[in-house]
Amino acid sequence: DDTGAIRWTMSSAFPVFDGRGDVIAAICSNTDITERTIYQAQLEETMVQINEYSLELEVQKAQLEEANTRLEGLATTDGLTGLRNHRSFQERLEADVQRAIKDGVELSMLLMDVDKFKVFNDTYGHPEGDKVLKAVGRVLSEFSAEPITTARYGGEEFVVVLPAMD
């Protein structure tokens, strides 16, 4: 055209045969496909952007799932000992009791505390008391394989739930 813009065309040729089957002519057709080509390029560019957004969403989804897993751990785990916290223990105990009733099996629970912990804490300070609680948590965590539940009940109190044990 007179603007000097690039135009896209599609050309097609169709043979014309005589009575013997020989090609004696051709009919040519030229179609301006400039707009279609522009739209197709825009569509391809849009698809690339959609794919990039999709990949970005997948990364964000994975990050969100990881953050949710960490958050769930923080919500259910005692920060000092690494055992279940009191709330998580209560939920698990309720499920264990219901399962024991349904299955008709025994359920035992040990509730224990660190003797004279307050005196130890007052004498040696809270950082040393925290070390004692962490040590107790490490020992109890060795017994926390399924189906046994170990938890920090509160303060210097700990609990172990033993399903199917009398």
Side-chain angles (χ1 to χ4, degrees), residues 28-100:
C28 293
S29 166
N30 292 314
T31 307
D32 186 343
I33 60 168
T34 303
E35 285 186 28
R36 183 171 77 178
T37 303
I38 290 169
Y39 291 142
Q40 185 174 354
Q42 290 172 343
L43 179 63
E44 288 173 3
E45 184 179 322
T46 301
M47 289 305 297
V48 166
Q49 289 175 339
I50 288 171
N51 287 336
E52 288 172 358
Y53 292 147
S54 178
L55 287 173
E56 188 176 319
L57 283 174
E58 286 297 320
V59 168
Q60 290 176 349
K61 179 184 172 194
Q63 291 171 338
L64 184 57
E65 287 172 351
E66 183 181 319
N68 283 338
T69 299
R70 284 194 313 269
L71 186 58
E72 184 178 336
L74 290 171
T76 59
T77 304
D78 176 66
L80 184 64
T81 64
L83 300 175
R84 286 180 181 269
N85 62 20
H86 186 84
R87 184 185 63 79
S88 174
F89 156 72
Q90 292 290 346
E91 291 172 359
R92 180 66 183 259
L93 178 62
E94 185 176 327
D96 286 343
V97 167
Q98 294 302 319
R99 193 175 311 107

Side-chain angles (χ1 to χ4, degrees), residues 82-146:
L83 300 175
R84 286 180 181 269
N85 62 20
H86 186 84
R87 184 185 63 79
S88 174
F89 156 72
Q90 292 290 346
E91 291 172 359
R92 180 66 183 259
L93 178 62
E94 185 176 327
D96 286 343
V97 167
Q98 294 302 319
R99 193 175 311 107
I101 292 169
K102 183 181 118 239
D103 296 343
V105 296
E106 306 279 339
L107 178 70
S108 297
M109 183 170 74
L110 306 172
L111 184 60
M112 58 196 103
D113 72 336
V114 178
D115 287 342
K116 300 180 180 149
F117 184 73
K118 182 177 178 353
V119 173
F120 183 90
N121 233 9
D122 291 345
T123 304
Y124 298 103
H126 291 283
E128 292 303 310
D130 287 352
K131 288 180 185 177
V132 169
L133 295 176
K134 287 178 186 177
V136 171
R138 275 193 305 276
V139 169
L140 290 178
S141 69
E142 293 177 19
F143 300 98
S144 64
E146 288 293 327

Side-chain angles (χ1 to χ4, degrees), residues 1 3-9 32 34-35 38:
D1 68 21
T3 64
I6 295 176
R7 303 299 294 180
W8 294 88
T9 59
D32 186 343
T34 303
E35 285 186 28
I38 290 169

